[in-house]
C-alpha cells in the first residue's frame, strides 16, 4: 500500500512538471441521458443500438480511458407531456448530454431546456426542418433534415413532369413544417401543392375515410403522405379499400414507411398488399466495414428481446453513431482540460425547479460535438456551418411484393441517379439533365408506365370557360341571338379537341363582354389568372405579356399582324403597249436592232446582192432588215456563214424578248391590278398619319411599346363599318391611312370589301391559342388534341367552313404593275454582242488577208511600202467590191504571172 501511495505521488509530481496549465480531471463515469419511446418502431431499434454503442465504447481502451459512459434512458411513451416530465427528471441527475428527443414535436419544447441549462441535446430522429441551430443552438441533429427529403420528393415529381400534388400530413410541427418545406422545394421546380389535407395525430378511421373521399374528387393523383407510422398505415389501408391504390394513382410516403418495413420484415401480407406501388425514401447509408460489423452482430444483439423479430433500420445506425459522437466529443473535451461540473441556476427557483442545474462547460462540449469528424456506421459524420450533416442523400424505394426494391438515389449534389452517391462523389460525375434518371417503377395497379398524375375533377363542377362576346367578325366567334349559345370557328376547334380527350370534361361557356363592343382580351386573360374563369376560348393571340399570366395551348391558327389600306385600280391607256418594258429596255432593244443590222450588213455586203446597191438603197435595206427581224419578217437572205450565225443568235434573243413582252402586256391588259402608296410597316412608322386598330386587340400595345409609334396616332375602330368609313375618309379627313390587324380578321373583311387590300407582308409571328390557368394539365392535353386535328385534316376543314374567302378574294392581292428591265435580259444581250464582235473580227481578218495578198506588187522594194502606199480609200474600194470580182481578178493575175515566168525561162535556156 505504501508503494502505491508513493507511485501516485510521483505521478502527481510528473503531471505538474509536464502539464503546468492544469490537470485533466477525467471522471470515472459520465452520465448520458436518453429520452425516446421504447415501444415505437424507431425506439425499439434505437434502444438496442444505443446499448451496443455504449458497450463498444466502454470496451475501447483508446477512447475515454479510465472513464465509462453510463446511459440513463427514459421512456417518453409517444406522449409530449410524458417526454417533458421524463426529460426534467433526467436533467436533475446532472447528465452531460441527452440523446433525443425522438419526436420533432417534443424537440421544439425540450430544446428550450437545453438552451437554458446548456446541456447538448443530440437527436438521431427529429427531422423537422425548422429545428435550426440558430434558434436552438444546443440542439444537434445526427440525421438528415426533412428539408433534404422534401427536395428529393420535388425532384421525383419534376422528373415525371407532374405539376400538382396533394399533401396528407399530421397536424403538428413535424407535419406542417415538413409540408411547408415541400411546397418551397416544389415551387423551385415550377410545381405546387394543389391541396393540403391535415389529419390530427389521433385521427380516427372515419376521419381518414372522409379525407380520402375528398381527395378522390380532386384533379391531382400524386399524393404525398407525411405522417407518423400508425396514421400512415391507416391511410394506406383505407385507400386500398376505396380502390385508390389502383392504376392512375401515385403514392409517395416519406421515410416513416421505409423505417417500418425495414424494422418489421417480414411484414404482414395484408399490410403489404395495401401499399403496392408506393414510393418511399430512406436515409442513405454507405456500405463500409463498420456498418457490416454492426449488421452482422444485430441478430446476436436482439436475440434476448422477448423473442421479438427486430430488424435494423437507418435510424438505428444513426442512434449508434450518436453515442460515438458524444464519446469522441467528450474525449476532445477532456483533452482540453474540460470538467463535468454543474451549478445552480437561480432563475429556476421561482419555478420550483431548483433541483435542476446548469452544465458549466456545456458550451465547450457543444463546440466539440459540432467540430467532431469521424467515419461512422452510417457514413461520414461531419457538420456544415448550418449544423446539418454533410452530403445528405436518400435511397428511393418502390414497395413491391413482400418488400422494397431500390429504383434510384438522390443527393443534394447529384440529384436523381441510379448510381450510389458515394460513387458519384468519388468519380465526380456531372449533374446534367441526362444523368437524372431512375430505374423502372412498378406503380399502383402493377403498371410500369408512369401515371399521367391527374384526372379531371369528379366533384361535379363544370369547367368555367370565358368566351369573348364579339360584335364583329362573327364567323370567328359570336353568340347566337336565338339560342344564346356560342358558335364560330374558335368554338368548333375547341369542341373538336375536347372530343379527342380520353376522358370526359364537363364545361360551360360564359360570355365575356357587354355585347355592344368587343371586350378587352387582356382583361379576359387576367380573369383566368385570377381564377374567375378556369380557361378562356376564343381568338386570343399568344403574346409574351399574356404567357406570364396563363398557360396557352399550342396555336391552332396563325394570326400575324398585316397592314390593310385603300387601293387604287391600275388603269391602262392608249400607250399601254409600251408599259411592258422600261424606257431603258426599249432604248437598248432598238440599239441592238440597229447594231445587229449593221453587223449583218457588213458580213453580207461582199457576198450577198440583197445588201448591195446604191448607198441610199443600202441604208434603207439596213434599217428595214434591222426592224423586220423583230417580227421575223425580213426578206433578205443571208448567204455567209458568219452572217447566218449572228442572225441565228439574234433571232433567239428576239424570240425571248418578244415572248416576255407578250406575257407582260397580256397581264397588264387582262388582270385587274391594285396599288397603294403604302409599301410596308417601315414606311407607315416613318409617317405621321393615323393608324386604325381593332378595339380589344393587343395591336395597340404592340405598336406603341414595340414599334415606338405615338399613341396619339392610334385610332380605335369598333367594327367593319368603322374600318370602311375610316379608310374611305383617309388620313386628312378624319380617317386613317391604314388599318393594322390580325390576318384572319382582315381576310374576312376583304372578302366583302374589294376596294381595300393588304400591303406588304406579315410583320409579327403570332397565333391564336386557348388560355388555361398556370400549371393546368388540360393545356398539354388540348395541345396534343390540336396536333391530332391538324394531322388528320379536321383543323383545315373547320377553317374552310368558317373562314373561306369568297367574292373578290382573288382581286385583293397586292400586285403592283411590273415592267421588264434591261437587267432581266443582260445575259442574252451580252451573248449576242460577243457573237457579233467575234464574227466581225474573223470577217475583217479575212478581208485584210485578201487585200494584202491581191494588192501587193511583186517588186520587193515596193512590197515594203505596200500598206503605207495604199490609202484607206483603196481599202474601202476593195471592201465594196463584190467577192466574186475579187476572186476572178486574182485568178487572171495568177495566170498572167504564170505566162511571164514561162517566157523568161525560154529566153534563159536559149542563151
Amino acid at each position: 500500500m505504501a508503494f502505491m501511495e508513493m507511485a501516485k505521488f510521483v505521478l502527481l509530481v510528473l503531471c505538474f512538471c509536464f502539464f503546468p496549465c492544469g490537470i485533466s480531471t477525467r471522471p470515472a463515469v459520465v452520465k448520458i441521458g436518453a429520452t425516446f419511446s421504447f415501444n415505437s418502431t424507431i425506439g425499439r431499434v434505437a434502444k438496442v443500438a444505443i446499448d451496443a454503442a455504449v458497450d463498444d465504447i466502454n470496451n475501447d481502451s483508446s477512447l475515454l480511458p479510465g472513464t465509462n459512459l453510463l446511459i440513463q434512458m427514459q421512456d417518453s411513451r409517444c406522449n409530449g407531456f410524458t417526454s417533458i416530465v421524463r426529460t426534467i427528471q433526467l436533467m436533475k441527475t446532472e447528465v452531460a448530454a441527452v440523446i433525443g428527443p425522438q419526436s420533432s414535436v417534443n424537440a421544439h419544447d425540450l430544446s428550450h431546456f437545453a438552451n437554458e441549462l446548456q446541456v447538448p441535446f443530440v437527436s438521431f430522429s427529429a427531422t423537422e426542418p425548422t429545428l435550426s441551430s440558430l434558434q436552438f443552438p444546443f440542439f444537434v441533429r445526427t440525421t438528415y433534415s426533412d428539408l433534404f427529403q422534401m427536395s428529393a420528393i420535388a425532384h421525383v415529381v419534376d422528373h415525371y413532369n407532374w405539376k400538382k400534388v396533394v399533401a396528407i400530413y399530421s397536424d403538428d410541427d413535424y407535419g406542417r413544417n415538413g409540408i411547408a418545406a415541400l411546397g418551397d422545394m416544389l415551387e423551385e421546380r415550377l410545381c405546387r401543392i394543389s391541396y393540403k389535407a391535415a389529419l390530427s395525430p389521433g385521427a380516427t378511421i372515419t376521419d381518414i375515410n372522409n379525407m380520402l373521399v375528398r381527395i378522390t374528387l380532386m384533379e391531382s393523383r400524386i399524393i404525398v403522405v407525411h405522417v407518423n407510422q400508425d396514421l400512415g398505415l391507416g391511410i394506406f389501408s383505407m385507400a386500398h379499400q376505396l380502390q385508390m391504390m389502383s392504376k392512375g394513382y401515385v403514392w409517395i410516403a416519406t421515410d416513416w414507411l421505409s423505417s417500418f418495413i425495414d424494422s418489421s420484415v417480414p411484414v404482414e401480407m395484408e399490410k403489404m398488399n395495401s401499399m403496392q406501388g408506393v414510393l418511399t425514401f430512406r436515409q442513405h447509408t454507405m456500405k463500409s466495414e463498420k456498418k457490416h460489423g454492426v449488421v452482422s452482430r444485430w441478430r446476436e444483439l436482439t436475440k434476448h428481446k422477448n423473442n421479438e423479430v427486430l430488424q435494423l433500420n437507418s435510424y438505428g445506425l444513426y442512434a449508434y453513431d450518436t453515442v460515438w459522437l458524444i464519446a469522441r466529443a467528450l474525449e476532445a473535451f477532456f483533452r482540453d482540460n474540460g470538467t463535468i461540473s454543474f451549478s445552480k441556476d437561480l432563475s429556476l427557483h421561482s419555478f420550483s425547479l431548483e433541483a435542476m442545474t446548469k452544465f458549466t462547460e456545456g458550451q465547450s462540449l457543444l463546440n466539440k460535438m459540432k467540430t467532431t469528424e469521424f467515419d461512422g456506421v452510417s457514413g461520414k459524420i461531419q457538420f456544415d456551418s448550418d449544423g446539418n450533416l454533410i452530403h445528405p442523400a436518400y435511397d428511393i424505394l418502390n414497395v413491391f411484393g413482400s418488400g422494397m426494391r431500390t429504383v434510384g438515389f438522390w443527393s443534394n449534389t447529384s440529384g436523381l441517379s441510379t448510381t450510389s452517391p458515394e460513387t458519384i462523389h468519388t468519380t465526380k460525375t456531372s449533374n446534367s439533365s441526362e444523368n437524372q434518371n431512375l430505374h423502372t417503377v412498378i406503380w399502383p395497379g402493377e403498371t410500369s408506365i408512369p401515371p399521367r398524375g391527374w384526372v379531371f375533377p369528379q366533384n361535379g363542377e363544370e369547367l368555367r370557360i370565358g368566351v369573348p362576346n364579339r360584335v364583329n367578325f362573327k364567323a370567328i366567334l359570336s353568340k347566337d341571338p336565338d339560342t344564346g349559345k356560342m358558335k364560330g370557328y374558335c368554338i368548333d376547334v375547341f369542341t373538336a379537341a375536347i372530343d379527342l380527350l380520353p376522358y370526359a370534361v364537363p364545361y360551360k361557356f360564359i360570355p365575356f363582354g357587354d355585347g355592344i363592343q368587343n371586350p378587352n382580351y387582356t382583361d379576359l386573360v387576367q380573369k383566368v389568372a385570377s381564377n374567375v374563369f378556369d380557361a378562356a376560348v376564343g381568338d386570343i393571340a399568344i403574346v409574351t405579356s399574356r404567357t406570364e399570366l396563363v398557360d396557352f395551348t399550342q396555336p391552332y391558327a396563325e394570326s400575324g399582324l398585316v397592314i390593310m389600306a385603300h387601293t387604287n385600280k391600275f388603269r391602262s391607256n392608249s400607250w399601254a403597249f409600251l408599259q411592258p418594258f422600261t424606257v431603258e429596255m426599249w432604248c437598248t432593244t432598238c440599239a441592238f436592232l440597229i447594231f445587229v443590222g449593221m453587223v449583218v450588213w457588213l458580213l453580207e455586203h461582199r457576198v450577198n446582192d440583197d445588201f448591195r446597191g446604191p448607198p441610199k438603197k443600202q441604208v434603207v435595206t439596213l434599217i428595214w432588215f434591222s426592224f423586220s427581224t423583230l417580227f421575223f419578217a425580213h426578206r433578205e437572205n443571208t448567204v455567209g456563214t458568219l452572217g447566218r450565225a449572228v442572225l441565228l443568235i439574234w433571232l433567239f434573243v428576239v424570240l425571248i424578248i418578244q415572248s416576255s413582252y407578250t406575257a407582260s402586256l397580256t397581264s397588264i391588259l387582262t388582270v385587274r391590278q391594285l396599288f397603294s402608296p403604302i409599301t410596308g410597316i417601315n414606311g407607315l412608322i416613318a409617317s405621321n398619319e393615323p393608324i386604325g386598330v381593332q378595339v380589344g386587340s393587343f395591336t395597340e400595345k404592340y405598336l406603341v411599346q414595340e414599334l415606338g409609334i405615338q399613341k396619339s396616332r392610334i385610332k380605335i375602330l369598333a367594327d367593319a363599318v368603322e374600318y370602311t368609313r375610316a379608310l374611305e375618309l383617309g388620313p386628312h379627313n378624319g380617317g386613317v391611312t391604314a388599318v393594322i390587324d390580325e390576318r384572319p380578321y382582315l381576310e374576312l373583311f376583304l372578302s366583302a370589301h374589294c376596294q381595300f387590300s393588304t400591303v406588304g407582308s406579315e410583320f409579327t409571328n403570332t397565333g391564336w391559342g386557348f388560355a388555361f390557368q398556370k400549371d393546368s394539365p388540360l393545356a398539354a392535353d388540348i395541345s396534343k388534341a390540336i396536333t391530332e386535328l391538324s394531322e388528320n385534316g379536321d383543323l383545315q376543314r373547320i377553317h374552310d367552313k368558317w373562314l373561306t374567302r369568297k367574292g373578290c378574294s382573288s382581286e385583293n392581292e397586292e400586285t403592283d404593275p411590273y415592267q421588264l428591265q434591261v437587267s432581266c435580259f443582260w445575259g442574252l444581250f451580252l451573248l449576242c454582242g460577243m457573237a457579233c464582235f467575234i464574227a466581225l473580227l474573223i470577217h475583217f481578218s479575212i478581208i485584210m488577208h485578201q487585200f494584202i495578198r491581191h494588192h501587193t506588187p511583186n517588186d520587193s522594194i515596193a512590197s515594203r511600202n505596200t500598206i503605207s502606199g495604199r490609202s484607206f480609200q483603196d481599202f474601202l474600194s476593195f471592201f465594196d467590191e463584190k467577192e466574186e470580182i475579187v476572186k476572178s481578178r486574182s485568178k487572171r493575175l495568177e495566170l498572167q504571172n504564170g505566162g511571164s515566168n514561162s517566157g523568161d525561162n525560154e529566153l534563159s535556156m536559149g542563151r
Side-chain angles (χ1 to χ4, degrees):
M1 291 294 293
F3 176 77
M4 291 297 295
E5 292 294 333
M6 181 61 68
K8 288 182 180 181
F9 176 75
V10 172
L11 181 61
L12 183 61
V13 171
L14 290 175
C15 288
F16 272 110
C17 293
F18 290 99
F19 303 101
C21 296
I23 304 172
S24 175
T25 57
R26 291 176 180 257
V29 175
V30 176
K31 292 185 288 186
I32 304 296
T35 174
F36 53 89
S37 177
F38 295 172
N39 199 36
S40 65
T41 299
I42 294 176
R44 287 194 295 270
V45 175
K47 190 173 187 301
V48 177
I50 291 172
D51 286 338
V54 170
D55 290 341
D56 292 344
I57 292 169
N58 288 337
N59 292 328
D60 188 347
S61 59
S62 63
L63 184 64
L64 294 177
T67 300
N68 286 334
L69 292 182
L70 175 63
I71 294 292
Q72 299 178 345
M73 297 187 184
Q74 295 288 342
D75 187 2
S76 64
R77 299 178 182 178
C78 295
N79 183 280
F81 178 76
T82 303
S83 178
I84 293 174
V85 172
R86 297 296 191 189
T87 303
I88 292 175
Q89 293 175 348
L90 277 176
M91 304 299 279
K92 292 179 179 180
T93 61
E94 297 185 344
V95 292
V98 175
I99 299 175
Q102 175 184 331
S103 167
S104 296
V105 177
N106 295 337
H108 277 275
D109 300 326
L110 296 177
S111 292
H112 293 290
F113 284 92
N115 293 346
E116 181 65 27
L117 302 178
Q118 297 190 1
V119 176
F121 275 51
V122 190
S123 178
F124 58 87
S125 58
T127 57
E128 196 265 293
T130 64
L131 290 168
S132 66
S133 58
L134 293 177
Q135 183 181 7
F136 306 114
F138 279 84
F139 176 81
V140 180
R141 177 162 35 209
T142 56
T143 186
Y144 299 137
S145 166
D146 276 339
L147 181 68
F148 303 109
Q149 182 173 200
M150 297 309 169
S151 180
I153 293 175
H155 272 75
V156 171
V157 171
D158 182 57
H159 175 72
Y160 290 106
N161 296 317
W162 300 321
K163 295 300 179 184
K164 297 180 182 179
V165 304
V166 172
I168 302 176
Y169 63 97
S170 55
D171 193 14
D172 51 25
D173 290 336
Y174 165 74
R176 286 190 299 269
N177 295 330
I179 293 302
L182 175 62
D184 293 339
M185 296 297 105
L186 288 172
E187 286 184 5
E188 289 182 4
R189 313 197 76 78
L190 302 181
C191 307
R192 65 186 179 92
I193 299 174
S194 60
Y195 179 71
K196 295 180 180 180
L199 288 172
S200 66
T204 64
I205 293 297
T206 302
D207 296 334
I208 295 174
N209 179 78
N210 293 339
M211 178 267 297
L212 291 177
V213 169
R214 288 195 302 272
I215 291 176
T216 59
L217 302 177
M218 295 177 184
E219 177 183 286
S220 177
R221 285 293 182 263
I222 314 300
I223 306 172
V224 177
V225 182
H226 184 55
V227 295
N228 58 56
Q229 173 188 309
D230 294 336
L231 202 55
L233 295 176
I235 290 172
F236 283 130
S237 177
M238 182 57 65
H240 183 67
Q241 295 179 31
L242 295 175
Q243 298 183 349
M244 295 176 67
M245 303 301 297
S246 57
K247 187 176 181 180
Y249 282 89
V250 174
W251 291 86
I252 301 176
T254 49
D255 58 9
W256 65 265
L257 180 58
S258 64
S259 299
F260 166 73
I261 296 177
D262 284 339
S263 304
S264 307
V265 175
V267 183
E268 298 177 11
M269 284 309 300
E270 182 180 355
K271 292 181 179 179
M272 290 301 300
N273 289 337
S274 67
M275 298 183 291
Q276 294 296 302
V278 175
L279 282 182
T280 186
F281 293 81
R282 176 204 292 145
Q283 296 95 334
H284 178 74
T285 55
M286 68 177 187
K287 296 179 180 179
S288 65
E289 290 295 330
K290 290 184 177 181
K291 178 180 176 180
H292 178 72
V294 173
V295 172
S296 61
R297 292 168 49 204
W298 190 254
R299 182 179 296 275
E300 181 68 23
L301 294 172
T302 58
K303 69 178 182 179
H304 300 299
K305 302 296 180 182
N306 299 323
N307 296 322
E308 180 183 12
V309 177
L310 189 62
Q311 302 294 336
L312 180 63
N313 58 33
S314 59
Y315 285 108
L317 296 175
Y318 285 113
Y320 183 89
D321 283 341
T322 298
V323 182
W324 277 88
L325 172 68
I326 295 173
R328 290 178 180 274
L330 285 170
E331 176 66 25
F333 175 75
F334 289 141
R335 281 203 211 102
D336 286 351
N337 303 319
T339 58
I340 305 295
S341 61
F342 295 86
S343 61
K344 294 291 184 179
D345 188 349
L346 298 179
S347 62
L348 298 176
H349 289 189
S350 58
F351 301 104
S352 300
L353 296 175
E354 58 275 5
M356 301 181 68
T357 56
K358 179 184 291 187
F359 187 7
T360 306
E361 297 189 35
Q363 183 65 55
S364 177
L365 178 60
L366 176 68
N367 294 338
K368 297 300 181 183
M369 288 183 181
K370 291 184 176 181
T371 56
T372 296
E373 300 179 17
F374 68 98
D375 293 326
V377 296
S378 61
K380 182 72 173 180
I381 302 298
Q382 181 182 349
F383 299 99
D384 60 19
S385 58
D386 294 327
N388 296 312
L389 289 178
I390 63 170
H391 305 316
Y394 285 85
D395 302 336
I396 304 174
L397 310 170
N398 183 203
V399 179
F400 182 71
S402 59
M404 299 180 294
R405 48 189 289 269
T406 302
V407 295
F409 305 92
W410 176 90
S411 73
N412 67 332
T413 55
S414 61
L416 300 179
S417 176
T418 54
T419 305
S420 65
E422 56 267 22
T423 301
I424 293 177
H425 293 155
T426 303
T427 59
K428 297 182 179 179
T429 306
S430 62
N431 185 20
S432 61
S433 57
E434 292 80 4
N435 295 330
Q436 303 296 298
N437 51 49
L438 297 172
H439 292 303
T440 301
V441 176
I442 306 301
W443 305 99
E446 297 185 0
T447 176
S448 60
I449 301 174
R452 184 175 57 195
W454 72 280
V455 295
F456 196 81
Q458 302 176 13
N459 52 15
E461 295 183 4
E462 295 177 315
L463 203 65
R464 301 162 298 169
I465 300 178
V467 181
N469 188 10
R470 295 192 61 89
V471 296
N472 59 0
F473 303 115
K474 294 189 176 182
I476 293 176
L477 195 64
S478 65
K479 183 178 181 180
D480 192 319
D482 298 327
T483 63
K485 296 181 178 180
M486 305 304 295
K487 64 177 183 178
Y489 168 64
C490 302
I491 297 298
D492 280 7
V493 173
F494 179 76
T495 55
I498 286 290
D499 290 341
L500 291 177
L501 298 181
Y503 49 87
V505 179
Y507 61 89
K508 60 180 177 181
F509 293 129
I510 304 174
F512 177 73
D514 55 14
I516 300 175
Q517 64 177 5
N518 289 340
N520 187 296
Y521 280 43
T522 301
D523 291 344
L524 175 59
V525 171
Q526 185 65 54
K527 294 289 185 183
V528 176
S530 59
N531 200 32
V532 175
F533 297 127
D534 297 310
V537 169
D539 46 332
I540 306 171
I542 304 173
V543 295
T544 303
S545 59
R546 294 174 181 173
T547 58
E548 295 173 354
L549 300 174
V550 297
D551 284 343
F552 279 96
T553 63
Q554 76 168 48
Y556 63 87
E558 296 182 358
S559 62
L561 291 179
V562 292
I563 302 171
M564 179 181 67
H566 201 294
T567 52
N568 298 316
K569 182 179 179 181
F570 179 81
R571 300 181 182 278
S572 60
N573 52 41
S574 57
W575 296 96
F577 68 90
L578 295 175
Q579 292 170 0
F581 290 163
T582 62
V583 175
E584 292 80 4
M585 181 62 185
W586 280 117
C587 294
T588 303
T589 303
C590 292
F592 258 84
L593 284 170
I594 301 298
F595 173 69
V596 173
M598 292 179 62
V599 170
V600 173
W601 181 84
L602 290 172
L603 296 174
E604 295 289 322
H605 178 69
R606 303 182 72 231
V607 297
N608 193 337
D609 291 337
D610 290 338
F611 292 90
R612 297 185 64 81
K616 182 178 179 179
K617 178 186 175 184
Q618 293 185 49
V619 172
V620 173
T621 300
L622 188 150
I623 295 174
W624 163 254
F625 178 81
S626 297
F627 285 93
S628 63
T629 57
L630 189 62
F631 310 102
F632 306 101
H634 52 285
R635 294 175 298 177
E636 296 77 12
N637 295 321
T638 53
V639 297
T641 303
L642 294 176
R644 288 178 176 177
V646 170
L647 184 61
L648 180 64
I649 294 174
W650 172 243
L651 290 179
F652 174 73
V653 174
V654 168
L655 176 64
I656 300 301
I657 294 175
Q658 188 186 71
S659 300
S660 302
Y661 173 85
T662 303
S664 180
L665 182 61
T666 301
S667 175
I668 290 174
L669 296 179
T670 60
V671 178
R672 178 183 179 185
Q673 305 213 4
L674 303 176
F675 68 92
S676 170
I678 300 172
T679 58
I681 186 62
N682 292 329
L684 200 58
I685 294 174
S687 70
N688 291 318
E689 297 178 343
I691 303 170
V693 300
Q694 184 182 172
V695 63
S697 172
F698 76 97
T699 309
E700 177 185 7
K701 183 177 180 180
Y702 179 82
L703 295 180
V704 174
Q705 296 184 359
E706 300 296 332
L707 301 185
I709 296 177
Q710 295 179 356
K711 191 172 183 179
S712 58
R713 294 178 57 192
I714 308 299
K715 189 171 183 179
I716 306 300
L717 304 176
D719 52 28
V721 175
E722 292 194 6
Y723 277 19
T724 305
R725 184 168 60 250
L727 289 171
E728 293 286 358
L729 288 174
H732 305 297
N733 298 311
V736 297
T737 188
V739 170
I740 298 180
D741 208 343
E742 296 172 73
R743 180 172 288 279
Y745 301 128
L746 296 186
E747 287 180 349
L748 285 176
F749 179 81
L750 293 174
S751 64
H753 299 80
C754 304
Q755 69 273 35
F756 308 113
S757 177
T758 58
V759 177
S761 57
E762 293 184 8
F763 56 91
T764 62
N765 185 19
T766 58
W768 288 348
F770 303 131
F772 289 85
Q773 293 180 3
K774 278 290 186 181
D775 300 325
S776 172
L778 265 177
D781 285 1
I782 293 293
S783 292
K784 294 178 183 177
I786 291 173
T787 302
E788 187 174 347
L789 289 174
S790 177
E791 292 174 350
N792 62 26
D794 287 345
L795 196 60
Q796 185 62 44
R797 283 189 285 271
I798 296 173
H799 177 276
D800 294 342
K801 172 185 174 183
W802 292 99
L803 304 181
T804 299
R805 299 175 61 185
K806 305 171 185 176
C808 55
S809 59
S810 63
E811 300 174 354
N812 281 336
E813 297 298 328
E814 179 193 13
T815 53
D816 292 338
Y818 182 75
Q819 293 180 306
L820 299 174
Q821 302 178 11
V822 177
S823 60
C824 300
F825 304 97
W826 72 269
L828 290 173
F829 286 134
L830 177 63
L831 176 65
C832 184
M834 291 179 62
C836 292
F837 175 76
I838 294 172
L840 288 175
L841 182 64
I842 296 173
H843 182 65
F844 278 102
S845 297
I846 294 173
I847 292 176
M848 287 298 296
H849 177 73
Q850 291 177 347
F851 178 72
I852 294 171
R853 179 181 178 185
H854 297 291
H855 289 76
T856 303
N858 292 330
D859 185 17
S860 60
I861 297 175
S863 65
R864 288 194 294 269
N865 301 317
T866 297
I867 297 178
S868 61
R870 295 292 180 180
S871 65
F872 184 67
Q873 286 79 8
D874 293 338
F875 177 78
L876 291 179
S877 298
F878 178 78
F879 178 79
D880 189 53
E881 290 182 349
K882 195 172 182 179
E883 190 168 349
E884 292 179 358
I885 297 174
V886 173
K887 288 182 178 180
S888 65
R889 186 170 63 241
S890 298
K891 188 176 292 186
R892 288 197 304 270
L893 290 173
E894 289 177 359
L895 290 174
Q896 291 176 0
N897 292 333
S900 299
N901 292 336
S902 176
D904 291 341
N905 290 337
E906 289 177 358
L907 289 174
S908 174
M909 291 176 65
R911 290 179 187 159

